[in-house]
Amino acid sequence: MISTRLVVDRDFVVSDLDRRIFGSFVEHLGRAVYTGIYEPGHPTADERGFRGDVMELTRELGPTIVRYPGGNFVSGYNWEDGVGPAADRPVRLDLAWASTETNQFGTNEFMEWCKATDIEPMWAVNLGTRGPDEAREFLEYCNHPGGTALSDLRKQHGVEAPHDIKFWCLGNEMDGPWQICSKTADEYGRIAHETAKLMRLVDPTIQLAACGSSQHNMPTYGKWEDTVLEHCFDDVDFISLHTYFENRGDSTPEFFGCIEQMDLSIKEIVAVADGVAARKHSTKRIMLSFDEWNVWYKARSINDLRKPGWPEAPRLLEEIYNTEDALVVGGALIVMMNNADRVKAACLAQLVNVIGPIMTEPGGPAWRQTIFYPFAQATRFAHGKVLRPVIESPSYEAKTHPEIPYLCACVVDDESTGTTTVFALNRHLTESMQLRIELRGLGMSRTLDHALALHHSNMKATNTKDAPNTVVPENNPHVQVDGETILAELKPGSWNVIVTTATARR
């Protein structure tokens, strides 16, 4: 058994936790929308065609904000195609995913779905084939109260009150050569500046995110953000980050290094953004929106990315997640929480079927993938302030990162309830971990509310339609609370959540 120590103090705070870091993503890609969240005729579907079983699992998962409608899809999307009577909507070729888009689900349907699941929308505008004026028009359609042609058109479509969408993404992955009408950093920086200017004239209350690099290994990484922000620093609130974790070498210890790389990427982009601020002699701080992140490497063949014949809602990017994938997702959540001073929004990509925590069968059941559980537990238990962790842990070397501590952890404290939650990942695959947690200044007397672990002896174990509960959380009986100290034994290769509440605070 390895010994580790985690110390936090109530006076050493990273930041208040912005709950929008627990976001997700729904793109018109594969079966994310059709037979995912929307399937008229499904036994659980309501009168709007929303799958009730998926809505129930979405509420359990707990995303706070959902990005829509893309993704690569948005760079060729005409927003006008997805509003008005469904029977009158045009059928289009989706060039991003070589599919046929029926447009039976669009803006107002998505907003109805958000209301039904109590989720905030995060909307992306098309800065590929379209530009500032179309974005301005769409914002007016969505957010203006009435009395103009576009706001009254929304009312004609049956939506009297404005949608009041606050979070807007200025395009998607515009540095990527795969993107429809990709741009250089100068080209994109200029169009982001002009689009932001027009959108803020329509609604000055919105928040805007500019596209950052689409991958850490892009040749323009870092320089892209620097150039883009040089153009639109004063116009935007966020710069986006995207990352997908891969286990190409089929090595779990190497795979765990992706967690450290994510932390490094956050710190690098913060440094770039603050460098731009310094050149501009500005005290403004650009925040980070990690609006695409997940494990994705198995479903990447050409057959996973596109099917011949322009099919409707084909099976694309349907990654099947295993135990080690869930542990990496848990580690990524820890990293983002520990960077809560700058990471203020994030989206697990995606929600259902397409690299999603939820899977469905058309006309059949829905079930939870392994990665569902760490995300659902984080959304349920992480409230309040993130405390600065001091970690003592042995570590190991890997090709993906030179030094990887076996313990990866964060602590979130909710002063209003006295509840303190520890999220901990034991990255040692063969030895249990003896973890000593010191919660200094958070209450001399505490009760143990929950001690949960996600663990399976087989790192490749998965949840399937026929065996949906192969990998599920279990109670950890090896947790003891003694005043401000918690002693816990964590299984090898496990994600852990320990929740305690102070009966009195000093």
Side-chain angles (χ1 to χ4, degrees), residues 6-10 387 410-413 418-422 436-444 446-447 481-486 498-502 505-506:
L6 170 63
V7 180
V8 294
D9 189 294
R10 70 172 182 181
L387 304 181
C410 73
V411 179
V412 184
D413 180 64
T419 300
T420 306
T421 303
V422 178
R436 177 185 176 89
I437 305 167
E438 299 175 21
L439 306 176
R440 296 179 179 175
L442 296 174
M444 293 299 294
R446 307 191 68 84
T447 59
V481 180
D482 182 11
E484 293 184 317
T485 302
I486 301 171
I498 300 171
V499 185
T500 62
T501 299
R505 289 201 173 186
R506 56 183 172 89

Side-chain angles (χ1 to χ4, degrees), residues 79 107 123 125 134-143 168:
W79 69 266
T107 297
W123 214 281
V125 296
E134 290 85 0
R136 183 268 304 171
E137 290 178 337
F138 184 46
L139 177 60
E140 184 179 326
Y141 175 90
C142 290
N143 282 16
W168 295 81

Side-chain angles (χ1 to χ4, degrees), residues 222-236 239 268-286 342:
K223 184 177 180 181
W224 169 275
E225 284 82 0
D226 185 79
T227 302
V228 166
L229 288 175
E230 187 66 33
H231 287 285
C232 64
F233 180 89
D234 294 326
D235 310 299
V236 301
I239 188 79
E268 288 172 342
I269 298 307
V270 164
V272 172
D274 288 352
V276 177
R279 286 202 305 271
K280 292 179 175 291
H281 304 285
S282 174
T283 58
K284 177 181 177 178
R285 290 296 175 259
I286 297 291
R342 298 303 288 267

Side-chain angles (χ1 to χ4, degrees), residues 70-123:
N72 294 353
F73 173 80
V74 78
S75 291
Y77 180 57
N78 298 332
W79 69 266
E80 301 91 338
D81 294 345
V83 299
D88 297 338
R89 296 180 190 176
V91 176
R92 303 284 193 193
L93 295 182
D94 168 22
L95 303 182
W97 303 109
S99 304
T100 296
E101 174 55 55
T102 65
N103 286 303
Q104 292 303 288
F105 186 96
T107 297
N108 297 322
E109 288 81 14
F110 178 69
M111 292 305 300
E112 277 294 307
W113 182 85
C114 285
K115 291 175 184 175
T117 51
D118 193 26
I119 289 172
E120 179 185 352
M122 176 191 292
W123 214 281

Side-chain angles (χ1 to χ4, degrees), residues 126-363:
N126 178 358
L127 293 186
T129 59
R130 309 191 89 180
D133 202 41
E134 290 85 0
R136 183 268 304 171
E137 290 178 337
F138 184 46
L139 177 60
E140 184 179 326
Y141 175 90
C142 290
N143 282 16
H144 196 67
T148 67
L150 289 167
S151 58
D152 287 346
L153 179 63
R154 182 195 70 242
K155 294 185 178 185
Q156 293 172 26
H157 294 160
V159 183
E160 182 68 25
H163 290 312
D164 198 28
I165 301 166
K166 294 302 184 187
F167 201 119
W168 295 81
C169 303
L170 300 174
N172 173 76
E173 294 185 354
M174 299 309 299
D175 62 330
W178 58 84
Q179 198 70 206
I180 297 171
C181 297
S182 62
K183 293 171 172 57
T184 67
D186 280 310
E187 289 170 340
Y188 172 70
R190 284 286 300 139
I191 198 172
H193 163 71
E194 294 298 340
T195 304
K197 185 166 65 177
L198 264 64
M199 292 180 74
R200 289 197 188 279
L201 288 172
V202 173
D203 185 349
T205 69
I206 59 175
Q207 289 187 304
L208 297 172
C211 290
S213 297
S214 53
Q215 299 175 26
H216 183 271
N217 61 1
M218 293 294 288
T220 55
Y221 173 80
K223 184 177 180 181
W224 169 275
E225 284 82 0
D226 185 79
T227 302
V228 166
L229 288 175
E230 187 66 33
H231 287 285
C232 64
F233 180 89
D234 294 326
D235 310 299
V236 301
D237 307 285
F238 293 85
I239 188 79
S240 73
L241 292 82
H242 289 183
T243 193
Y244 290 102
F245 308 121
E246 301 183 27
N247 187 13
R248 294 291 189 183
D250 195 22
S251 166
T252 305
E254 292 286 347
F255 194 22
F256 284 153
C258 295
I259 299 167
E260 305 304 310
Q261 284 297 316
M262 183 188 206
D263 186 62
L264 179 61
S265 295
I266 290 170
K267 290 175 170 54
E268 288 172 342
I269 298 307
V270 164
V272 172
D274 288 352
V276 177
R279 286 202 305 271
K280 292 179 175 291
H281 304 285
S282 174
T283 58
K284 177 181 177 178
R285 290 296 175 259
I286 297 291
M287 297 301 163
L288 274 54
S289 175
F290 228 121
D291 53 38
E292 280 190 39
W293 71 273
N294 203 344
V295 172
W296 176 32
Y297 64 97
K298 306 179 200 76
R300 274 188 180 265
S301 70
I302 188 64
N303 194 50
D304 290 311
L305 295 171
R306 49 186 58 214
K307 308 280 188 184
W310 301 94
E312 292 181 16
R315 292 180 182 265
L316 299 177
L317 282 62
E318 298 197 2
E319 190 96 345
I320 305 303
Y321 291 109
N322 57 30
T323 306
E324 64 186 358
D325 297 331
L327 301 184
V328 169
V329 164
L333 288 163
I334 288 172
V335 164
M336 289 189 289
M337 286 189 275
N338 278 337
N339 286 279
D341 55 331
R342 298 303 288 267
V343 180
K344 299 295 184 181
C347 300
L348 180 72
Q350 296 189 14
L351 178 66
V352 56
N353 291 327
V354 176
I355 51 174
I358 300 170
M359 290 295 291
T360 73
E361 276 297 317

